Amino acid sequence: MNWSRLVGLAAAGLVLCGCAHGAGATGAGQSPGVSGHGGHKAAGNGPSKPAHAPTHTPPFNPELVLSGNLDARPGQLVSMRLDFITRAQGRDAVTAHSPAFSGPVRLRWQEDDSYGATRPLAMTVKPGWYPLSVSVAGRTVARDKIHVLRSKRPSFTFAFGSEVARPGEPMWLNFDDLYPGERGSDFTVRSAALHRPVRLVRDERYDNNPRYFVAGTELKPGLADGTYTFTLYGPHGHRVTKKGLKVRASRPGDPDYLGKARGPVLYDPGIGYADSPHRHDFKVGPGGRVAVMWHDAVPDPGEETRLTATSPAFTHVLHLDRDDGKAADGDDPRYFNTATVRADLKPGRYPVTVVAHHGRVRKVGYVIVAAR
């Protein structure tokens, strides 16, 4: 290599090094065609600006999340959410396509910073696996599948907490009406075992079934043992179906026959249960307040909402509530509330009574009203 060629290569290297250093210092990439002289001139006239400003956008890696797409039935709702995409990237042109739907599904911008939509499968779709794709402005960005099962006939069912339906027990009535050709949304259940007719409603928050109707109710507390008929009526009083439910009160040997009841414990509400002496009698003045605590590890089904403490010393019947804030004392389950003592009472000893397990458990404490 001759001397003049070597000097030329070295000079070119210095120019390139100067450009790279300038880009690192300013944070903006400079075109290799710009010379050091051109950069010096720009610096003399104000801040240097590249010919084309860079565009800073988040990475474009959308992720598709589906719900209700597996073991689905015709008419079932499928929820779609496309994450890790900005509204600017989506440009409100996000669309899902699948032969399982009756047509394209437009995904819209959601408050959780994603694109989403919920669409029922076509009622005419056959069992099988169907592809699903999501595109942004015509470009496919995610794929998945939908698995469709056969339709099944409408069904009317019960749900309750214990193995045997007990008098007074809370229960759920359920009607699954997702079947081709079924219509209407006004369904009512009637039974001699219920306090009153119960209307079933569609709860859209928790189920992918757009024709699943539910209602919470409870059996009458004083029911005799036996099988009771529950009849489901549709719009205009049309009878849809009926079903029997066997009800049996608890018997000796059943855990909820007598439970594990303790109380009533009376204490000062100003001090609190944990720091007060636990007594079955409590001294208070007229117009004062007394807290009542009741323990039962195995209450009757539904009894948790019906427990009361009564006393001629109280201004009214005291409903006992489940104590869910029992802290860390390990004393659970328990039920409590605070009563007000009548202001017109004469000094004396007044009973405080709690009756549980359909009258089989009856326990008494005492309020001792002192003179003023």
Side-chain angles (χ1 to χ4, degrees), residues 15-16 18-20 29-42 48-51:
V15 172
L16 290 174
C19 291
Q30 193 176 35
S31 171
V34 178
S35 68
H37 177 74
H40 176 72
K41 183 177 181 181
S48 176
K49 295 182 180 179

Side-chain angles (χ1 to χ4, degrees), residues 1-13:
M1 180 180 297
N2 60 39
W3 176 254
S4 60
R5 180 173 175 80
L6 181 62
V7 171
L9 289 173

Side-chain angles (χ1 to χ4, degrees), residues 73-77 99-102 120-127 148-152 177-183 209-211:
R73 288 184 285 158
Q76 181 168 310
L77 300 176
F101 296 129
S102 58
L121 300 175
M123 290 300 281
T124 56
V125 67
K126 305 297 182 183
V148 181
L149 303 177
R150 295 184 184 276
S151 293
K152 66 179 183 180
D177 193 39
L178 185 62
Y179 191 77
E182 297 300 325
R183 296 290 185 271
N209 185 341
R211 296 200 58 77

Side-chain angles (χ1 to χ4, degrees), residues 141-182:
V141 299
R143 299 179 188 274
D144 210 317
K145 292 183 178 181
I146 298 174
H147 185 215
V148 181
L149 303 177
R150 295 184 184 276
S151 293
K152 66 179 183 180
R153 299 292 304 180
S155 62
F156 176 42
T157 58
F158 312 127
F160 43 88
S162 57
E163 295 181 2
V164 178
R166 302 286 202 217
E169 179 167 19
M171 66 180 302
W172 285 93
L173 306 171
N174 314 296
F175 182 44
D176 185 342
D177 193 39
L178 185 62
Y179 191 77
E182 297 300 325

Side-chain angles (χ1 to χ4, degrees), residues 278-293:
H278 302 167
R279 295 177 294 205
H280 293 285
D281 53 25
F282 181 78
K283 184 177 291 187
V284 64
R289 301 175 74 224
V290 55
V292 181
M293 181 74 74

